[in-house]
Amino acid sequence: MAAFLRRAVCAAGLVSALTLTAPPASALTPREPAATAHAATVVTSPTAAPLERCARQAHTEVFRKGGPPLLDWRENLEFDGRGTLWVSHVTRHRVEGYAPDGTLRTSVPVNGPGGIRRGPDGMMYVNYGVNPLTSAISGGGIIRFDPTAAAPKPVKVVDGVSGINGLAIDADGNFYLSRELATGVLKIRPDGTRDEKWTRAANVFGTNGLHIAGDQLYASVITDATSPVVRIPLDDPARHTTVATLSPHPFGIKLLDDLTVFDGKLIVTSFRDGELIQVDPATGRSCTLAAGLRMPTSVRLARGFGEHSAQHALFVSEASGRIMKVTVPRPGTD
C-alpha cells in the first residue's frame, strides 16, 4: 500500500510539470557497458553517470488520450493475440478492451486491477486489490476472464493475497506476483496453493514489474535507491542476480515499474523520469530508449493487434491516463 501511495505522491508532484507533447529525442551514442561479469550467471552494473540516450531513439505517439491525471490511472496492459489490447484501470476498477483503432470495445469489472497477463490457456489473468483505497474491503488475488466472450465475466482463481502488484505466468500456468513492501516474489501454483519454498528463495525485497523470458524471471525493484533490475532463474530462484542498476546516485531513484523484452533487450519503465530504459541482460549495458512519457506504468510488445503488430510497436500505459504507442526503428531504417 505504502509503495503505491508513494508513487501517487510522486506523480502528484510531477503533474504540474507535464507538457502536452514529449520533447524531441536526440540520437546519441549509448554509454559503454559498466557491467562486470563475476560468474557465468552473475552480472552487476555499478552506474556512475546518468544514462545516455540509445543510438536508436523510439518515436512516441498517443494511442488513447487520458483524463484527469492520477484519477485516470491506467496501471498495466496486455495483448490477447486476437486483436484486443486489455488495460487495467486501477482507479475506475475495470479492465478495458481496446480495438486496434483505439476504440473501447468492452470492459470487465475488477476491483483495483493491477498486473494483467495472457495465460498459456489463452485466458486473461488479472491481479485485483492493487488499489490501496479499496483493497482493505475486497482483499487481493487473481481473477481470469475469457477474452473471446461477448461479455467477459471475471472468475476468481486466487484470493487472500494482499500487497501485490505485478504478474507473470510461466508455460506451466504458475503465477508469480510482485510485492512492493515484502521480501520474495510470491509463486502460486495453478491449483491456487503457494510454493513457499520458491518464494523464500526468491528473496528480493520491493519488486514491481515482472517478465518471464525463457527460463528466467526478470523483476524491477521499486524501493531500492539504485533502481536495480534482477534476474531470477525459475528452476533455482536462490541464484538470483542483479542485471543492472539504473540510478546514477542515491537521490536519483527512478521508481522502476513494469518491464518487457524486445529484440532480446529488456525494456523497463521509469515512473519518476518518464522513460523507457533499454537494458542488455547479458552485459548490463543500459540507455534511454524513449523519454517524455507521463508516469509510465507498463510496457508490452504489440501482438496480434492489427497493423501495429508489424510495426515493431510497444504500447505503454500511464498514470496520466494515456495509452501510448512507441515505435522502435529497426537497424538501418532510422
Side-chain angles (χ1 to χ4, degrees), residues 207-272:
T207 54
N208 188 329
L210 299 175
H211 183 82
I212 293 175
D215 58 358
Q216 306 292 320
L217 172 67
Y218 291 93
S220 62
V221 178
I222 193 172
T223 56
D224 189 320
T226 66
S227 303
V229 176
V230 178
R231 175 172 43 230
I232 305 172
L234 292 177
D235 60 355
D236 192 0
R239 297 182 66 235
H240 57 81
T241 57
T242 298
V243 176
T245 54
L246 303 179
S247 291
H249 53 75
F251 302 104
I253 185 171
K254 290 185 173 291
L255 294 180
L256 299 182
D257 215 300
D258 204 11
L259 73 166
T260 192
V261 170
F262 174 75
D263 266 2
K265 303 293 194 297
L266 299 171
I267 307 297
V268 189
T269 55
S270 168
F271 182 89
R272 191 187 105 162

Side-chain angles (χ1 to χ4, degrees), residues 76 114-115 127 164-168 176-179 207-210 258:
N76 212 266
N127 289 347
I164 58 176
N165 190 325
L167 174 66
Y176 301 85
L177 297 91
S178 67
R179 302 185 291 176
T207 54
N208 188 329
L210 299 175
D258 204 11

Side-chain angles (χ1 to χ4, degrees), residues 123-188:
M123 298 292 105
M124 303 302 295
Y125 291 83
V126 189
N127 289 347
Y128 71 87
V130 171
N131 187 332
L133 301 179
T134 58
S135 60
I137 299 174
S138 69
I142 306 172
I143 65 97
R144 73 164 176 254
F145 63 85
D146 183 352
T148 66
K153 302 296 183 184
V155 177
K156 189 178 298 184
V157 294
V158 174
D159 61 4
V161 183
S162 60
I164 58 176
N165 190 325
L167 174 66
I169 309 173
D170 67 22
D172 295 323
N174 295 295
F175 303 105
Y176 301 85
L177 297 91
S178 67
R179 302 185 291 176
E180 295 177 338
L181 291 176
T183 299
V185 176
L186 182 61
K187 179 180 179 180
I188 299 180

Side-chain angles (χ1 to χ4, degrees), residues 31-38 43-49 51 243-245 283-286:
R31 66 177 176 87
E32 290 303 308
T36 302
H38 296 289
V43 177
T44 59
S45 179
T47 307
L51 299 177
V243 176
T245 54
T283 67
R285 170 184 282 187
S286 308

